[in-house]
Every structure is written in structure tokens, then in C-alpha cells.
Amino acid sequence: MDDYKVILSEKDIPQDWYNVAADLPFELPPPINPGTGKPLKKGDLSAIFPASLIEQEMSRDRWIGIPDPVREIYRQWRPTPLRRARQLEKFLKTKSRIYFKDESASPTGSHKTNTAVPQAYYNKKAGIKKLSTETGAGQWGAALSYACNAFGLGCRVFMVKVSFHQKPFRKSLMHIWGSEVVASPSNLTESGRKILKRDPHCQGSLGMAISEAVEEAVKDKYTNYALGSVLNHVLLHQTIIGLETKKQLKVFQEKPDYLVACVGGGSNFGGFAFPFVKDKLKNDALSIVAVEPTACPSLTRGAYGYDFGDTSRLTPLLKMFTLGHNFMPAGIHAGGLRYHGCSPLVSALHDNGLIQARSFGQLEVFKAALTFAKTEGIVPAPETSHAVKAAIDIAKRDKKGRCIVICFSGHGFLDLASYDKYLNNELKNYALPLCEIKKALKDLPKF
Amino acid sequence: MDDYKVILSEKDIPQDWYNVAADLPFELPPPINPGTGKPLKKGDLSAIFPASLIEQEMSRDRWIGIPDPVREIYRQWRPTPLRRARQLEKFLKTKSRIYFKDESASPTGSHKTNTAVPQAYYNKKAGIKKLSTETGAGQWGAALSYACNAFGLGCRVFMVKVSFHQKPFRKSLMHIWGSEVVASPSNLTESGRKILKRDPHCQGSLGMAISEAVEEAVKDKYTNYALGSVLNHVLLHQTIIGLETKKQLKVFQEKPDYLVACVGGGSNFGGFAFPFVKDKLKNDALSIVAVEPTACPSLTRGAYGYDFGDTSRLTPLLKMFTLGHNFMPAGIHAGGLRYHGCSPLVSALHDNGLIQARSFGQLEVFKAALTFAKTEGIVPAPETSHAVKAAIDIAKRDKKGRCIVICFSGHGFLDLASYDKYLNNELKNYALPLCEIKKALKDLPKF
């Protein structure tokens, strides 16, 4: 057995995704059609998603087969390594054994390709010619561009204007894979034009970009919409992370005591944790830890209720931990964690006490990231660094020699400007006053 | 057996580096001390290198053991995968089988860490406290910073001033690992001050940065100098690439017909190719192809003679293919290939007809890089893309189903600005007129 990593064979890439909804000991609150106030029907989503993905979104089947053409593309980088952080352990002088599942090994450097590839595949199969999506910092836009290129689909990415100008390099990746990248708000959509008429210098937001991407998908029958987190089918595709991790831990002859992942919309957390939920139901000693920024603390300080997924109230209502769909998080560098809500599946697990949530400010998170980079040699993405920070804290307190497993969702090669700012003392923490949370939660629709 | 990649176990990390000098059927021209005009003695280098590295530089032993602490660090990312480029093959509709040895999997994203780690180790063991080095685009500076951090050595990197300002992100990596990065020419050294007195706005060159780094090593007994290419001991450490590749090809049940790598100073090329030179001596059908830019064509258009390694004439004289130590290459984006000479070992192989050299302009190189990124999903570094271009050309002409193996020396995540320029049609080719080459070669010292 290797000391530092377990890399499985391609035949160990799972044949099926795992649907945690099949094994939950409680009912999942259904999504609601805001027009009718009734549970969403499959047809309600058919203007923007193909039937196969809507089927997965609603499914209660435990296992859902991964199509061969998807596994064929997965093979380019999967299975990803499970690495033991031996140098980090030494540095911390901890008794813990620390592992990390290295999703940074993907073509775009994050876990997002795990769902981008099947989403592109199912849309292509349904005769769709083009996908539209939104992106903030660009991780999701890059991943979907990679996947659309692989299946010969067009792709238009509405990128929040401030990131479009400030974060040029994930945009470069999207261009390399042939996508069109539009600064949002744009003149290409009605909602964009409306916003620009009100404020020609508007710098955009994720909510606005979602509105533009959805509008484009609704109005053209050959264009569909794709989302990179939050929804059930997205987290389903990501379970490949946890399924591989389980096999790899067996090779290391380990059972995890702590599973740690960062959480924004919830996709890397869910994909990593869901395959372990059955173990948690049997063994309460297992801790599944979701880590979020103090600047956007939906799980630790939000309310559990029905809310819209976007600021423009275009999406179905989802029951989730949320700060309110009008909540505008501070400009922290973990752009992927700046989302007002959290996946309904993850939220339900949290509401039922199956997972714990913690939050950290970005200064302590970057400090942990630096420790990781200096010991393990890999520079973590700012989002991923939240999980690293929590794991280091657990390891420091550990007197018993626990097994800690981190979901290492992505590398920071395209986030080095943020590291520069941290090293130059230009960053600060953002704590959220209770009054602001209360104010944001006032916008929650009543259901 | 896997279809897409062979990843060896950590116990397959070679125990020894391979010294090709032991197996060459010809004499290697010795380095010359420019002061005495006589072959260099070991003591001539002791002001800047530890005895162990000087020993390796001069050694004729076939195998040189890799120290355990070096293998311990190698384990963080080695063995690197040998991947089959199946999607590229499909796209090209070629009969060839194309493989690439993925050195981009290292912590800094290139092969440079393979020698940075042992260089830091041997210096630490010799009681050295700090290394000084130069870097252009920053690949080498980042790798040495990573290695110095791992062994608790200080590191000062003299970074060519124009790159210091234009290429901030490899500088960020160096800062993360705790190095001091100085824009060269600087006020910290005599040679720097001299240059700045003449021209306060001087943007620097690799030659100037070498002078500053060497000066600093000479004047302080606890500071040594480290070089990222050209020298025998550097290429020795890189043979770990070729040794692993040989084992992996056996698992794929392949014998290579073509081995293709880019060449600047020669370190990834040499490290990849040397372990196959004995096969070449037995089987002339094996083609070992070195690929360089038309803007800096030392092997294809340079002269084979003794020359200095730097513009300031501080180094020993090395017999190599060179364009003359005063040659200033055009500002192509493959910064790692902008070196006037080529490693003495690689040069001797070329002079003896054991390898072939080809050159390409950067437009055709970026076009090939885009094809690779679109099929294999990995964005290659501009340097690496030279090898990709040559391999694609070979595969396109192949009627017989050859086995082509590329040394994939690094990824392009930190070179995306160059891709932007290519996609925006802002790049051009640089062909070198014969008169310029003749002019540059006039400066060759006579030996």
C-alpha cells in the first residue's frame, strides 16, 4: 500500500450515482411552484431542463446509472486521488490522520466538471444545441465550457460584470473551450436591458446573471439552462466524489471520524458526504462538518424556510437554509461560497441533525490555506480553504488519533491575486450583524 | 489495464537517477574554466554549489541513488501519470497511439520541482542557509521556492524585471512558499547597481539576473546558487521522468516509436529522453525529437561550440549548440524556451545524430495547444505546446500506427494571458534572419 495516496483504477469509477433521497428517514419538503403555490410538477421545468435531468431531480431511486459516454469523459481525470496529508500532520504535530480527496485534479481544477459533463451529455442527447448559464468567479462557467466542448454543444456564459473585468483567467479558460462569455447585465436579454436602463454602470450580481441565463433558455427551444449547484440532480452527479472516497478509505484501512467540506450552494459538500449518510445513521460518532464563510452563513445563521433561488424570483421555491434571496454577501474571495441559500438536500440533513455547520472569517481561512500550501505543496482555492481551516482545528484538538477526511474541492492557481492581497494585509474579515440578517430574512416568502 | 492512464505505485518511484554519460559511445567535451583555458576542476564550482552536486555534475557512474528525504517529498506527487490522449487521437483520426507523461501534476505545475527538491536537499545537508537563483517567467523560481520551503532554506529569486511586473502569479506562488522575490536588475548587488547606473529604467534579462544570483552566492558562504536547467546534475535529476515513463509504457505493452519534448535549456527533454538513449543505440528506428521555437533555434540553427552560459561571462565555458551568449530572443510566450544555448549533454547527443530537432513558430504552436486543450481537457504551458505541435504533425502523417510519447512538461493555468492574446489575434511569429544568427555567433569565444 502507498503511504501518500490511493489512486484507484478506471474500472473503479462508479457505475452509478447515489441518490441519498432514497435512504433518508424523513420526508423531503417538495419544491413549490410560486405561481400555483403547489408542489412543482415535472412539466414546470421542461422549458429549461431536459426530461432526463428533471427525472433525476425528482427521483427516489437509490442508484442512477452513469451513461457510458459520461464515464468515458470522466476517465480523463477520474478516479481522483485520495491523498494523505503527511507533511501537514507532521507540521501540526497532531495524532490525527488527515486525508484529502483531491478534486483539484480535474481539467478545470475543481469538482464542478463532475456535473457539467453529464448535464452537457443529457442536453445533447435531448437535441439541445446550446446551454446558457451564469457564473460568478468562473469555476462553474469554466467547467460547463469544458463539458459543452466535449459534446459539441454551444455555450453562453453570463458572467457577473465585476468578475468579468476583475477575474480574467477563468474567462480565458471558457474562451479556450469555445464558449461565449457575456458580461452581465448585458443588452442581450430583456432583464439585462431593464437593469441597464435603470443603472447603465451596474456591476451585476449572480441573481441578475441567473435571470439572463434562464430568460435565454426559456425563449429558445434549442437552448437549455444549466446550474452548477443547489439542485438535487447536481448533487447527485457529485456523489461520485464520496463513492470513490469510500473505496479509497478501505484501501487505507480507515473509517472516517470526521468528513469536512466547504459549503456554498452545497454541491461539493453533498457529493462528498451523501454516500456516508447511511453510516452516520448507524454510527452517531461520525461527524459530517459543513464549513461556510462568516460573511455568508446560511447554515449557521440563516432560517430554514421556502425561498427563491435567485434575486429576480424566477426559480421555483425551495425549502432551504437561507439568508433571503435579496441578501448581498460581502466581497470575500471565496466567490463560490457567496450564495444566499443552501441546497434543499443539505439543508434537510442539517435540519435533522445529521450534519454540523461551522463558519470562519477569511483571514483565518487564508492562514490555514497557507499552512496547507507550505506543507502539502498544493495551493487550495479560497473556497476549499474553509474545509482546510476546519480540519486543522479538529486535528489540533484531537487527543485520540482520529481520521479526518477533507473534500479538497479545487486548487488556487487561478486565485493567486487573492493570496497576494492576503500576504499584503489587504484583506479583512466580514462578520454579519444580526440586524442585517433579520433584515434580509424579512424578504422570505411565507409558506 | 486502464484505458486512459497508467499511474504507478509510490514504490515504483525510481531508487536511482540515471546518468546517461555512463553509456554514451563518445567522449563528452569537458567544461572549460575561462580563466585558465583548461578543463574545469571540482573546486572551481565550490563557491556556489555543494560538493555532492559538483560530484554529480562530473560523475560517470550509471546510477546515482536518490536520498530518502528526496523520495519522501517526491511522493507528494510522483509517480506522475502516463496518459493516453484518446480524445486527441479521435479528433486527429490518426492511426497513431499518442501518450503523454503528465509532469503538470507537480505542486508548481511543471517538471522543475524534480530537480528543485534534490538541489534544496543537498544544499541543506551541506549546511547552506539560503539559495539564490534567477527566474524569467517564473516556473523555476516557483519550483525552487517550493523546495526551499520543504527543507527550511531561505530563498531569494532574482526575477527579470519585465516579468516581475507582467507575470505576477508565479511571483505569488514564490511568496506563498516564503521566498523573497527581487526585480532584477536590483540595487542589492554590484552588478545590478552597475546596470542601473547605466540605465535606471532597464527591464532586465535572464543573463543579468544570473549575474546577480551568482554574485550573491559567491559573496556569502551560507548562500549557494541553484540553476534550473542546462547542467548535467539538473538533467540527471530529471531522468526520473523517463525512468517512470519506461515502466508505464511496459504496462501499456508499448514500445515508443517517437519520443517528443520541447527544449530550452534542455532539462525536461533530457530527463525524458536519456533513459531511452540505450534503446536508440540498439534500434535506429526510434526517433527522439527535440522541439524548439523558431525565435530561439539553438539546435536547428545554432553553432556547436564552447560558449558562456550567461551574458555577463561569469559561468564556465560549456560546449553546446548556441546562438551566442549575447543573443536576445524575441518576446515569445514560451518564456522557458528563450535561452541562447542548450545543455551540453543534449547538444552532444544532437551532434552525434542520436536525436532530431525541429522548430515551430508560436502561432502554429498555440493552435496545437488549443487542439490539445479542447480534446484532452488540459491546457498546456506554451513551452509544452511545442512538443504537442510536433506530436500532432507526426500523428497526422502516420500511416502505420506508431506509438508517440510526449513529455507534457507543464500546464498553462498561469499562462492564460498568453492564450487570450492568441485568441485575440495579438500574437505573431518570429522567424530569425540568417544575418542575425551570424551576428550573434560572432561573440562565440574561440576554443
Side-chain angles (χ1 to χ4, degrees):
Chain A
M1 199 196 70
D2 281 1
D3 282 344
Y4 272 84
K5 49 193 170 298
V6 164
I7 303 172
L8 301 168
S9 153
E10 286 164 23
K11 60 182 179 297
D12 291 313
I13 296 174
Q15 305 277 344
D16 302 277
W17 293 298
Y18 169 67
N19 184 4
V20 72
D23 288 319
L24 295 178
F26 48 82
E27 275 301 304
L28 283 169
I32 301 285
N33 180 325
T36 64
K38 299 224 168 107
L40 205 68
K41 288 181 203 139
K42 287 177 184 175
D44 295 345
L45 295 171
S46 59
I48 55 169
F49 294 131
S52 44
L53 288 177
I54 299 171
E55 196 67 49
Q56 293 180 1
E57 185 65 25
M58 309 280 197
S59 172
R60 291 295 179 272
D61 296 345
R62 182 168 294 116
W63 296 102
I64 292 174
I66 306 178
D68 282 341
V70 171
R71 293 183 84 240
E72 186 76 5
I73 303 293
Y74 277 170
R75 252 177 223 137
Q76 287 197 325
W77 77 96
R78 303 207 73 86
T80 59
L82 180 69
R83 302 183 185 274
R84 176 137 179 214
R86 283 189 179 270
Q87 306 294 336
L88 176 62
E89 290 171 16
K90 264 189 223 170
F91 174 82
L92 296 174
K93 299 190 180 87
T94 178
K95 287 185 176 173
S96 304
R97 297 173 310 286
I98 307 174
Y99 298 86
F100 60 107
K101 174 66 171 166
D102 188 5
E103 291 296 307
S104 80
S106 94
T108 61
S110 88
H111 68 292
K112 292 287 184 192
T113 43
N114 296 333
T115 182
V117 172
Q119 288 195 51
Y121 166 76
Y122 287 117
N123 276 291
K124 175 78 179 184
K125 221 180 140 201
I128 291 298
K129 305 284 184 213
K130 189 169 149 187
L131 291 180
S132 77
T133 198
E134 74 290 329
T135 200
Q139 288 100 329
W140 169 242
L144 194 66
S145 299
Y146 162 79
C148 283
N149 169 74
F151 288 106
L153 281 174
C155 183
R156 180 178 280 171
V157 182
F158 290 92
M159 188 168 186
V160 177
K161 197 172 273 174
V162 59
S163 299
F164 183 91
H165 294 298
Q166 279 179 2
K167 308 219 166 189
F169 296 123
R170 286 206 180 85
K171 183 174 65 187
S172 316
L173 279 180
M174 299 177 223
H175 282 149
I176 285 173
W177 287 309
S179 287
E180 198 187 340
V181 190
V182 177
S184 166
S186 77
N187 273 313
L188 296 175
T189 66
E190 211 173 301
S191 35
R193 287 189 292 270
K194 223 181 260 178
I195 297 161
L196 287 173
K197 205 173 166 187
R198 241 181 6 240
D199 175 9
H201 302 293
C202 174
Q203 288 302 295
S205 77
L206 213 46
M208 293 172 186
I210 293 180
S211 307
E212 291 200 83
V214 169
E215 183 188 321
E216 186 156 274
V218 170
K219 77 183 174 202
D220 175 15
K221 78 176 194 176
Y222 292 110
T223 300
N224 264 349
Y225 170 69
L227 190 67
S229 191
V230 180
L231 296 178
N232 299 350
H233 68 274
V234 179
L235 275 68
L236 173 78
H237 303 152
Q238 293 292 357
T239 57
I240 195 159
I241 303 174
L243 293 167
E244 286 183 9
T245 304
K246 280 195 111 161
K247 280 192 200 177
Q248 288 164 309
L249 284 171
K250 266 186 202 147
V251 179
F252 272 125
Q253 300 177 300
E254 286 281 15
K255 278 198 175 174
D257 297 301
Y258 291 90
L259 297 167
V260 189
C262 68
V263 67
S267 80
N268 96 82
F269 176 85
F272 177 60
F274 289 172
F276 294 90
V277 164
K278 268 211 288 192
D279 306 314
K280 170 70 182 171
L281 289 167
K282 279 183 256 168
N283 166 24
D284 202 45
L286 170 63
S287 297
I288 305 179
V289 185
V291 194
E292 56 186 17
T294 49
C296 194
S298 56
L299 287 176
T300 49
R301 300 181 68 195
Y304 187 46
Y306 274 99
D307 197 6
F308 292 98
D310 69 324
T311 46
S312 315
R313 299 170 159 250
L314 288 176
T315 71
L317 287 161
L318 304 170
K319 188 153 185 189
M320 54 187 181
F321 278 88
T322 177
L323 296 160
H325 57 275
N326 286 326
F327 176 73
M328 176 59 81
I332 55 164
H333 284 261
L337 307 184
R338 292 176 69 237
Y339 185 67
H340 68 274
C342 181
S343 136
L345 277 170
V346 174
S347 295
L349 290 180
H350 188 46
D351 186 54
N352 284 273
L354 292 171
I355 64 172
Q356 317 165 12
R358 302 184 187 180
S359 69
F360 295 102
Q362 67 179 353
L363 290 182
E364 47 199 346
V365 164
F366 270 100
K367 189 178 171 204
L370 229 65
T371 299
F372 193 90
K374 286 186 163 200
T375 50
E376 292 304 310
I378 308 178
V379 179
E383 293 82 1
T384 311
S385 306
H386 286 73
V388 170
K389 164 65 182 163
I392 287 176
D393 278 11
I394 294 165
K396 276 182 174 171
R397 283 194 314 267
D398 177 16
K399 303 268 182 267
K400 293 192 177 166
R402 307 292 197 175
C403 170
I404 304 168
V405 190
I406 301 168
C407 184
F408 195 85
S409 54
H411 65 57
F413 277 126
L414 301 183
D415 300 288
L416 290 171
S418 307
Y419 278 88
D420 282 346
K421 289 203 169 127
Y422 172 70
L423 290 169
N424 293 331
N425 293 317
E426 291 167 22
L427 293 192
K428 57 175 186 173
N429 274 339
Y430 296 92
L432 203 57
L434 190 63
C435 57
E436 266 195 49
I437 297 180
K438 276 189 178 160
K439 204 176 100 194
L441 288 177
K442 271 194 189 150
D443 299 329
L444 274 195
K446 303 287 167 266
F447 272 87
Chain B
M1 200 196 68
D2 282 2
D3 282 344
Y4 272 82
K5 50 194 168 297
V6 164
I7 303 173
L8 300 169
S9 154
E10 286 164 25
K11 62 182 177 297
D12 292 312
I13 296 175
Q15 305 276 344
D16 302 277
W17 293 299
Y18 168 68
N19 183 5
V20 72
D23 288 319
L24 295 179
F26 48 80
E27 276 301 303
L28 282 170
I32 300 284
N33 180 326
T36 64
K38 300 222 168 111
L40 204 68
K41 289 181 202 140
K42 288 177 183 175
D44 295 345
L45 295 171
S46 59
I48 55 171
F49 295 130
S52 45
L53 288 177
I54 299 172
E55 197 67 50
Q56 293 181 0
E57 184 66 25
M58 309 280 196
S59 173
R60 291 296 180 271
D61 296 346
R62 182 168 294 116
W63 296 102
I64 292 173
I66 305 179
D68 281 343
V70 171
R71 294 183 83 238
E72 186 77 6
I73 303 293
Y74 276 171
R75 251 175 223 138
Q76 286 196 326
W77 77 97
R78 303 207 71 87
T80 59
L82 180 69
R83 301 184 185 273
R84 177 140 178 209
R86 284 189 177 271
Q87 306 295 336
L88 176 61
E89 291 171 16
K90 264 189 221 168
F91 174 82
L92 296 174
K93 298 191 180 84
T94 178
K95 287 185 174 172
S96 304
R97 299 174 309 287
I98 306 175
Y99 298 87
F100 59 107
K101 174 65 170 168
D102 189 4
E103 291 297 307
S104 81
S106 94
T108 62
S110 87
H111 69 291
K112 293 287 185 192
T113 43
N114 296 332
T115 182
V117 172
Q119 287 195 51
Y121 166 76
Y122 287 117
N123 275 290
K124 176 77 179 183
K125 222 181 140 199
I128 291 297
K129 305 285 183 212
K130 189 169 149 188
L131 291 181
S132 77
T133 198
E134 74 289 330
T135 201
Q139 289 100 330
W140 169 243
L144 194 67
S145 300
Y146 161 79
C148 283
N149 169 74
F151 289 104
L153 280 175
C155 183
R156 180 178 280 171
V157 182
F158 290 92
M159 188 170 187
V160 176
K161 198 172 273 174
V162 60
S163 300
F164 183 92
H165 294 298
Q166 281 179 1
K167 307 220 165 187
F169 296 123
R170 286 207 181 85
K171 183 173 63 187
S172 317
L173 280 180
M174 298 176 224
H175 283 149
I176 284 173
W177 287 309
S179 287
E180 197 189 340
V181 189
V182 177
S184 166
S186 77
N187 272 314
L188 296 176
T189 65
E190 211 173 300
S191 38
R193 287 189 292 270
K194 224 182 258 178
I195 296 162
L196 288 173
K197 204 172 167 188
R198 244 182 4 242
D199 175 9
H201 303 294
C202 174
Q203 289 301 293
S205 77
L206 213 45
M208 293 171 186
I210 292 180
S211 305
E212 291 201 84
V214 169
E215 184 188 321
E216 186 155 275
V218 169
K219 78 182 173 203
D220 175 15
K221 77 176 195 175
Y222 292 110
T223 300
N224 264 347
Y225 171 68
L227 190 68
S229 192
V230 180
L231 295 179
N232 299 350
H233 69 273
V234 180
L235 275 67
L236 172 79
H237 302 153
Q238 293 292 356
T239 57
I240 196 160
I241 304 173
L243 292 167
E244 285 182 11
T245 304
K246 280 194 110 163
K247 280 192 200 175
Q248 289 164 309
L249 284 170
K250 267 187 202 146
V251 180
F252 271 125
Q253 299 178 302
E254 286 281 14
K255 279 198 174 174
D257 296 301
Y258 291 89
L259 297 167
V260 189
C262 68
V263 67
S267 81
N268 96 82
F269 176 85
F272 177 60
F274 289 171
F276 293 90
V277 164
K278 270 212 286 192
D279 306 314
K280 171 69 183 171
L281 289 167
K282 281 184 253 167
N283 165 24
D284 201 47
L286 170 63
S287 298
I288 306 179
V289 185
V291 194
E292 56 186 17
T294 49
C296 195
S298 56
L299 287 176
T300 49
R301 299 181 71 195
Y304 186 47
Y306 274 99
D307 197 5
F308 291 98
D310 69 323
T311 47
S312 316
R313 299 169 158 250
L314 288 176
T315 71
L317 287 160
L318 303 170
K319 187 153 187 191
M320 54 186 180
F321 278 88
T322 177
L323 296 159
H325 57 274
N326 285 325
F327 177 72
M328 177 59 82
I332 55 166
H333 285 261
L337 307 185
R338 293 176 71 238
Y339 185 67
H340 68 276
C342 180
S343 136
L345 277 169
V346 173
S347 295
L349 291 180
H350 188 45
D351 187 53
N352 284 274
L354 292 171
I355 64 170
Q356 315 165 14
R358 301 185 187 180
S359 69
F360 295 103
Q362 68 178 350
L363 290 181
E364 47 199 347
V365 164
F366 270 100
K367 189 178 170 203
L370 230 66
T371 300
F372 194 89
K374 286 187 163 198
T375 51
E376 292 304 311
I378 309 178
V379 178
E383 292 83 2
T384 311
S385 306
H386 286 73
V388 170
K389 164 65 182 163
I392 288 177
D393 278 13
I394 294 166
K396 277 182 172 169
R397 284 194 315 267
D398 177 16
K399 303 268 181 266
K400 293 191 177 165
R402 306 292 196 174
C403 170
I404 304 168
V405 190
I406 301 167
C407 184
F408 195 85
S409 54
H411 65 59
F413 277 126
L414 300 183
D415 301 288
L416 291 171
S418 307
Y419 278 88
D420 282 346
K421 288 205 168 127
Y422 172 71
L423 290 167
N424 293 332
N425 293 316
E426 290 167 24
L427 293 192
K428 58 176 185 170
N429 275 337
Y430 297 92
L432 202 57
L434 190 61
C435 57
E436 267 195 48
I437 297 180
K438 277 191 180 161
K439 204 176 100 195
L441 287 177
K442 271 194 190 150
D443 299 329
L444 273 196
K446 302 287 168 267
F447 274 87

